[in-house]
Amino acid sequence: MDMKMVAKEDIEEGQDLTPPLSPLSYSLQNSFLSSADLSAAFRLLSLFQSPPSTCPQPRLFGLLTNRDKLLSSEEPDVLLKIRDGARELAKARGNFSDDVILEEALLCLVMTNAVDVQDKSGRSLGIAVYDKEFSWINHSCSPNACYRFLLFETNNTPALHYQPKMRIVPHGKIDVCSSSELAQGCERDDGPRIVVRSIKRIKKGEEVTVAYTDLLQPKEMRQAELWSKYQFVCCCRRCTASLPTYVDQLLEEISVSNMEFMNLSSDDNLLMDEADKKLNDYMDEAVTEYLSADDPESCCKKLENLLTQGLQVEKLESKAGNSQLNFRLHPLNRLSLNAYTTLASAYKVWSIDLLTLCSDTDGHHWEAFNMSRSSVAYSLLLAGATDHLFRSESSLIASAANFWANAGESLLTLARSSAWNLIVKSGLSASKFSLQKSKCCNCSLIDRLEVDSFIRQAQSAGLKNISNELLDCISNLTGKVWSSLIHGCLHLQVIKDPINFSWIDKSTNVSDFRTHSNKSCWTAEIISRKKSERYTNEERVNIFLLGVHCLFYGGHLASICYGEYSHLASHLQNVLYDEDNSIH
Ligand SMILES: C[S@@+](CC[C@H](N)C(=O)[O-])C[C@H]1O[C@@H](n2cnc3c(N)ncnc32)[C@H](O)[C@@H]1O
């Protein structure tokens, strides 16, 4: 029977479910074997009291190997990886026979159970395999828990002063008592430790699940990834819903802008698939080109062209000849979200390039300042769009936390930029933009909360409504600055409101978004009026306050999924206090 982990007791959201767990095996950089999987499998060998001579069991150390399943895979890459890897592993331990069953099983165990170890900025460092308390946790596309790594913390780190107890227990029965396989006295106190944490309320006896894949992908992509990596079909609530969930629908929504002239036919699904592939390829090409050729300008143009104009795909018709269909991405389609991420980065790089490569003239400073504003606008849009999805799918909390934190940080950097002095006569000095000197006229949160204990206070029961209060202010302040942030950026000008997506009516077909977005309240009139206006100190103060609220909100969400002493929470506090954090 399959194993799973369940809650021992009722658990609130934002609580550690396990103490820090050490890995059974791990492989960070510089492995002497060619891949991290091999290296981790090799380390597992040393854990055997005496390696079994043959290995018919479906589990080793109590962990599922999935050997039979993976070896009957139709994916040639998976088979090749196991076959070649097992031979290499056998050679490395001096086994020159043809019997590599144990090596195959170990490699399959690693492929089934290993997790990607990431550093604070989300960069992959390698992989680790944990014991049963972690490895028996199944996947869900709407999980109720997440995990974080403790990479360089010692037992004196504040985060570890208290030791959370084990609040989850195994459920299921396995035949082999595999703890006997482990070598005696096998110390496992090195390597990246992992802590599991609740992101939703979990009832006693309820299964605890985590995500094995990126949850900001539509169902087909998640399923394809889970299949190719683990060879299982996910049967979680989000995947088995009779109709695609609201979030999945949005993440894959594309529409045909000139469809009213066409007759729908059974070929249209094929055409949609073709369009989806073409849109993907276009995005990939633009991003790869940006990363390899370091050409942010061309990348921004290509992506904004895609977002604004859509993509033409030819439809073959029997009688009337061929016609061009115009496919448009929904603003919350996963490709749009990827485009916002890239655009936020590309505009920032473009702005820095302009300042470093060009002569020191006001014109270039002004242009660079505009690029920074576009970068900020895209990070705000990304945060708002993800937040809209998070409200329907609360397991997206980690993405929302990170995007709000990024948006807040870039807003603060913009507000503290000395470039304002070129634009605003009798401008404010950057030192004005500190928390001590700021007041929000809407909410009292900034006054009420001490920044350095904000995360802890926000966790307390008295601040349950903090999200709504912060979001109200974010929405309000965005209304005051959005038209100046999007100035000059054609695509952003059709986005009605980057925070409040309620114009996407849940009860109607989401394909109607084009009609709604055309009725943008940020009308051309407002935009052109802004063009002629000079920027004001008031605008700068509002950008600063908006940044502070985004950081508080991101910090609040981060404390739920990463804990109050997490790297993100402390990073956010540094950003809030860093009054010299300015661009030029
Ligand atoms: C790390 S193990 C999880 C524990 C496993 N159930 C066990 O019995 O040891 C990962 C494997 O569990 C199964 N699994 C995990 N999540 C699943 C899901 N949502 N749907 C189907 N199978 C799943 C798959 O076989 C996957 O390769």
Side-chain angles (χ1 to χ4, degrees), residues 116-126 149 151-152 567:
D116 205 24
V117 180
Q118 293 179 343
D119 71 5
K120 292 175 179 181
S121 53
R123 199 167 50 99
S124 178
L125 296 178
F149 296 98
L151 285 172
F152 305 108
H567 64 276

Side-chain angles (χ1 to χ4, degrees), residues 2 21 36 99 122 128 149 152 188 191 213-215 243 246 266-267 331 393 405 413 467 493 505 521 537 548 557 584:
D2 275 358
L21 305 169
D99 177 2
F149 296 98
F152 305 108
R188 284 191 281 113
T213 184
D214 176 6
L215 300 177
L243 290 172
Y246 175 66
S266 55
D267 293 341
E393 178 49 73
T413 307
S467 297
Q493 290 175 11
D505 183 352
C521 73
N537 283 326
V548 172
L557 299 181
H584 317 284

